[in-house]
Amino acid sequence: MQAALRLARQQRRCLVTTANPAHVLAGSTSAAVPKRPLIPLSNVEAQWDKLTSEERSSVHDQLEVLMKKDWKELSIDEKKAAYYVSFGPHGPRTPSSKPGENFKVFLGTAALLGVTGILFIGIRALAPAPPKTINKEWETAMNERGLEQKMNPITGISSEGYKGKGFVVSK
Amino acid sequence: MRSQILPVLRLASRPALKVAAIPRTTPVRYAHAHQESFEAFSERYVTFFQNAEDLFELQRGLNNCFAHDLVPSPAVIEAAVRAARRVNDYSTAVRIFEGISEKVENKAQYQAYLDELKPLREELGIMTKDELYPKSS
């Protein structure tokens, strides 16, 4: 166990310092910097969300090299990829609502308002009839009775030159 | 006794009078009184963008420059775009034009900026965001 560990450590040190001649022959530069798979820049927008962070940094590196060239030589896909990676709608720039969501919110609100309207009408339809004292006849009769009794003679219905309606409130 | 103490107390309670008598060597700086003219603003940001060394510095300057209640002059925009070219960041150059379209009052003003800076855009090969992503698709 101990021997195996030491061996592994030795091998790792060899990898880092490239002291192993066999390794140098095999081409240590490509092994020291693991070659990342090239991500096609033409469709970065579609697959950006699925890329791992390593693949994203590989795209970053590709773009960094590309943008050192004359910008007039860049293809429109490369320009789009450069813009999308920096300022596209992902990460903190994800739009807070998808297109069509506002319409759904409007529909939901309208449906709720309709339900409350139906409830309002239904409850009022089921309610008992208003009391017998709330109608025009009863209230005129109350006025007559008030005048009969000289009710409120200073400011009320029995006062001189009274113009108000007295007890009449319903049409 | 009281009449003797009072003037002393009065002096002691107003030390500011003495301080004000000393002549000032540095002028008083009031933050609200200083109004930078548009030309001075443009000149300041042109020199800033000409000296911007890396992408962070450029984007920091852009954030500050576009935070004011004005649209930066074409000279400032040109300096900023050239800074973007110097630090090799295409997306920031596109973003600068997007920023103008956000700051201007109407489309005619944006179009005027685009026309004014057309030689620069053609020289560096910069497309605006609307050209990269047409609205119709």
Side-chain angles (χ1 to χ4, degrees):
Chain A
M1 182 68 191
Q2 288 279 324
L5 261 179
R6 202 180 309 128
L7 192 71
R9 204 177 296 141
Q10 260 180 356
Q11 271 183 346
R12 197 167 58 219
R13 194 181 298 148
C14 285
L15 269 178
V16 171
T17 56
T18 65
N20 190 346
H23 199 78
V24 171
L25 280 179
S28 65
T29 47
S30 66
V33 181
K35 192 147 178 71
R36 298 199 191 99
L38 275 182
I39 312 288
L41 285 180
S42 54
N43 205 11
V44 163
E45 289 98 329
Q47 49 178 338
W48 183 257
D49 288 334
K50 291 171 215 143
L51 295 184
T52 62
S53 58
E54 237 177 67
E55 288 168 326
R56 287 186 187 183
S57 60
S58 135
V59 172
H60 269 291
D61 294 348
Q62 281 185 59
L63 285 172
E64 207 169 305
V65 175
L66 266 178
M67 287 193 290
K68 282 176 186 161
K69 291 201 293 186
D70 188 353
W71 289 345
K72 275 180 285 188
E73 292 167 13
L74 300 184
S75 72
I76 187 156
D77 278 341
E78 289 162 348
K79 289 177 175 180
K80 273 182 164 182
Y83 181 81
Y84 182 86
V85 166
S86 298
F87 299 112
H90 54 79
R93 270 179 289 274
T94 315
S96 55
S97 66
K98 295 190 188 89
E101 252 175 21
N102 285 347
F103 185 63
K104 276 188 206 164
V105 171
F106 172 75
L107 278 188
T109 317
L112 274 177
L113 276 176
V115 169
T116 49
I118 290 166
L119 269 179
F120 176 74
I121 292 168
I123 289 171
R124 277 187 72 94
L126 293 176
K132 61 181 179 182
T133 56
I134 302 183
N135 57 53
K136 185 115 185 193
E137 289 78 36
W138 192 281
E139 285 160 359
T140 357
M142 278 166 80
N143 266 3
E144 279 165 22
R145 180 87 173 131
L147 286 172
E148 219 172 80
Q149 292 185 328
K150 297 199 190 321
M151 181 189 267
N152 204 349
I154 298 175
T155 56
I157 49 173
S158 308
S159 59
E160 262 178 59
Y162 177 71
K163 298 232 172 62
K165 287 184 179 174
F167 292 108
V168 179
V169 284
S170 43
K171 297 267 165 62
Chain B
M1 183 67 191
R2 191 160 175 267
S3 58
Q4 285 170 344
I5 288 175
L6 261 183
V8 177
L9 280 180
R10 201 173 287 144
L11 261 182
S13 68
R14 291 177 187 168
L17 282 176
K18 277 188 167 177
V19 174
I22 299 168
R24 278 184 180 281
T25 47
T26 51
V28 188
R29 304 209 304 190
Y30 298 106
H32 60 273
H34 173 67
Q35 285 284 334
E36 187 182 28
S37 72
F38 184 68
E39 286 73 28
F41 175 87
S42 297
E43 199 185 342
R44 181 158 67 92
Y45 273 101
V46 166
T47 46
F48 178 87
F49 286 127
Q50 280 167 353
N51 297 328
E53 281 170 4
D54 55 9
L55 183 60
F56 176 83
E57 197 68 4
L58 167 64
Q59 293 188 339
R60 186 177 76 84
L62 283 171
N63 267 340
N64 292 340
C65 181
F66 279 82
H68 290 80
D69 188 16
L70 52 85
V71 191
S73 65
V76 175
I77 302 298
E78 183 173 352
V81 169
R82 290 205 183 280
R85 173 66 266 194
R86 201 166 58 245
V87 301
N88 294 322
D89 199 87
Y90 184 79
S91 44
T92 301
V94 179
R95 193 72 164 173
I96 293 169
F97 285 96
E98 204 186 334
I100 302 172
S101 74
E102 289 290 326
K103 291 295 279 189
V104 292
E105 282 174 354
N106 49 48
K107 282 182 179 168
Q109 288 179 0
Y110 179 53
Q111 195 54 47
Y113 264 89
L114 286 185
D115 294 342
E116 172 83 19
L117 297 166
K118 198 173 179 60
L120 176 73
R121 286 191 299 136
E122 278 170 359
E123 181 198 331
L124 295 178
I126 297 166
M127 294 168 80
T128 60
K129 192 196 173 192
D130 295 336
E131 288 167 357
L132 284 176
Y133 296 97
K135 287 271 166 60
S136 55
S137 65

